[in-house]
Amino acid sequence: MEGPLQTSIHVCHENGQWMSQLPEKLWDIPLYNLALPGSHDTMTYCLDKNSAVSGNESKLVKFLNKCMPCIVHPIIMKWSTTQVLTVTEQLEAGVRYLDFRIAHKANDPSMNLYFVHMVYTTVTVQDILWEVLRWLETHPQEVVILACRNFDGLTRKLHCHLTACIKEIFQCKLCPRNVVPTLRTMWQHGHQVIVSYEEDVEVEAHCELWPAIPYWWGNKTATRALIHYLEHMKRMGRPEKFFVAGINLTENLRYILIHPFGSLKKMTLQSLPCLKIWIRQQDPGPKKECINIIAGDFIGNDDFVKDVIELNTKINPPLHCHSKGAGTKSISFSA
C-alpha cells in the first residue's frame, strides 16, 4: 500500500491553500454552502498501543481485552485506526473539517485530555490545538472547522478547562457563531477557526463556540447500503447550516468475525471506487439535496480530497453575491 499513499501525500501539498485559490465569485457564499473535505475520527493515527480501553466501551470488550490482551488488543487497533496522516498532513492535504473525539482517562488525577476511539491517543488535545494554530499561521487564508465531540469522562471542570484552552490558543482567530462565515468576512476579520462543541451548556456560555454539527453516520458495513442511507438523508433535506455526510463504513462484531484478517483500512479501500463515483455526483449549495462537508477515513487515498474540493466548480452564484474590497487575487478552477 506504500505506492498509493506516497502519491496521495504528493497531491496533498497541492491542496494546502485551496481556499485562498477559490474564484472570487465564491468568497461571499457561506461555508455551509460550499463543499468541504473532512476526516472522520481525525486523531486515530496516533492511538496508544499500550492504552487501556476507553471507559465508554462495553463491559464485554473491556473483559475480553483484560483476559486476552495479546489477541484482543491488536484487533482493536486494526479496527480503530481510521487515519494514517498526521493532523498537519491532513490540513496540508486540504482537509478543513477535523473530527475530534475528546476524553479524560479514568482515574487520571491530571487535567490532561486525549483523543479517543476505543483506546486513547499518545498526544494530548492541547498539543494538537497548538499544532493546528502553527499550521494556520502559515496559511492565513485557510479556514478550519474543529468538531469537538464525544467528551468521554469530562466533568464540568474539565469542560471549562478545555474551552479556556481553545480560547487562549486561537484567540481572535475564533469565528463567533453570530457571524455568517463567508471567506471574505473571515479574511477581513482574521477569523480562521470555527469550533463546534457538542455540549450545550458550554455553547451557551461562550459566543466563540458553535452548536454541534450534525453528522450523517450510516453505521453500514456495505458500500451500497451506505450510499442508500446518504441518498435517503438527502431526500429528507439538508440542515440549514453546517452538516457532515460521512462516507465512512463501520464494522460490527459479525463483520470482524467473518473477516479475521481484515482491517478498517482494507474495508475502506475496497469501498473507495464506488464512493468516488457518488462524491463526484454531489452538488454543494443551499438546496434541499445539496451537500456541505464530506468526511471519510484514510483521506490520503484515491483523490478523495481533490474530488470534494472540485465540487465547488459546480457553484454559479447570482451576480448580487459579488462584492468589492477583498483585494486578494483569485485562481479560477478548471473543471
Side-chain angles (χ1 to χ4, degrees):
M1 300 310 298
E2 289 183 4
L5 183 57
Q6 288 174 351
T7 301
S8 70
I9 291 176
H10 173 71
V11 172
C12 287
H13 293 286
E14 298 176 2
N15 298 328
Q17 305 199 64
W18 70 266
M19 285 181 155
S20 69
Q21 298 171 347
L22 286 174
E24 187 174 1
K25 68 178 184 178
L26 302 183
W27 294 356
D28 297 296
I29 292 178
L31 294 181
Y32 38 76
N33 291 336
L34 296 180
L36 308 175
S39 61
H40 167 252
D41 261 311
T42 300
M43 295 306 303
T44 56
Y45 64 87
C46 58
L47 294 176
D48 186 352
K49 294 178 181 178
N50 300 313
S51 166
V53 173
S54 160
N56 207 29
E57 296 304 321
S58 68
K59 291 181 179 179
L60 176 60
V61 170
K62 292 177 186 176
F63 174 76
L64 291 174
N65 187 58
K66 188 175 182 179
C67 293
M68 301 179 291
C70 294
I71 298 173
V72 176
H73 212 71
I75 294 173
I76 289 175
M77 295 297 292
K78 283 200 307 178
W79 293 98
S80 297
T81 302
T82 66
Q83 306 295 339
V84 294
L85 300 183
T86 68
V87 72
T88 295
E89 289 171 336
Q90 290 180 43
L91 291 169
E92 198 65 31
V95 165
R96 296 295 176 264
Y97 166 91
L98 302 178
D99 178 15
F100 284 167
R101 314 293 179 93
I102 297 173
H104 183 256
K105 294 180 180 179
N107 304 317
D108 183 354
S110 77
M111 300 284 280
N112 290 336
L113 298 175
Y114 296 85
F115 303 96
V116 66
H117 190 211
M118 293 196 75
V119 294
Y120 302 100
T121 56
T122 56
V123 299
T124 66
V125 172
Q126 198 166 3
D127 286 342
I128 293 300
L129 295 180
W130 283 112
E131 184 175 341
V132 172
L133 175 66
R134 287 191 294 272
W135 186 86
L136 289 170
E137 287 176 336
T138 60
H139 298 76
Q141 289 186 294
E142 300 303 300
V143 175
V144 176
I145 300 168
L146 308 181
C148 298
R149 312 172 60 195
N150 196 92
F151 299 133
D152 178 19
L154 264 70
T155 61
R156 182 59 46 212
K157 183 179 179 181
L158 287 168
H159 274 294
C160 291
H161 171 66
L162 176 57
T163 53
C165 286
I166 290 170
K167 292 169 73 171
E168 176 193 359
I169 291 168
F170 295 115
Q171 298 185 29
C172 62
K173 290 187 182 294
L174 290 170
C175 178
R177 64 177 175 272
N178 63 346
V179 172
V180 177
T182 67
L183 285 173
R184 193 187 302 273
T185 299
M186 304 271 297
W187 291 341
Q188 288 174 345
H189 292 89
H191 299 323
Q192 288 187 269
V193 183
I194 292 171
V195 176
S196 81
Y197 205 88
E198 207 171 61
E199 175 61 45
D200 292 341
V201 174
E202 292 300 315
V203 173
E204 291 174 7
H206 302 279
C207 67
E208 299 89 349
L209 301 181
W210 291 59
I213 294 176
Y215 193 108
W216 290 355
W217 177 49
N219 193 20
K220 306 294 183 183
T221 59
T223 311
R224 293 188 183 279
L226 175 59
I227 290 174
H228 180 79
Y229 162 80
L230 293 172
E231 287 298 314
H232 169 74
M233 295 301 290
K234 284 171 57 183
R235 288 191 295 271
M236 298 289 288
R238 58 154 293 167
E240 183 182 354
K241 295 188 177 179
F242 291 109
F243 74 102
V244 183
I247 62 163
N248 50 291
L249 293 173
T250 306
E251 81 289 348
N252 54 35
L253 182 58
R254 181 174 180 272
Y255 188 92
I256 293 173
L257 292 174
I258 294 173
H259 301 84
F261 302 107
S263 67
L264 191 57
K265 186 170 186 178
K266 290 181 181 177
M267 187 183 191
T268 299
L269 296 184
Q270 290 169 358
S271 72
L272 286 180
C274 193
L275 288 170
K276 185 184 184 76
I277 296 171
W278 181 84
I279 290 170
R280 290 182 168 184
Q281 293 171 342
Q282 303 314 303
D283 294 285
K287 295 180 181 178
K288 178 180 177 180
E289 293 196 359
C290 289
I291 56 84
N292 174 213
I293 301 164
I294 301 180
D297 293 333
F298 303 100
I299 58 87
N301 289 277
D302 207 30
D303 293 331
F304 161 72
V305 172
K306 177 175 172 284
D307 288 341
V308 176
I309 293 171
E310 288 189 348
L311 293 178
N312 293 301
T313 62
K314 298 181 180 183
I315 299 175
N316 289 302
L319 291 176
H320 68 262
C321 283
H322 292 229
S323 61
K324 298 179 180 179
T328 305
K329 184 178 180 181
S330 67
I331 299 176
S332 299
F333 273 112
S334 57

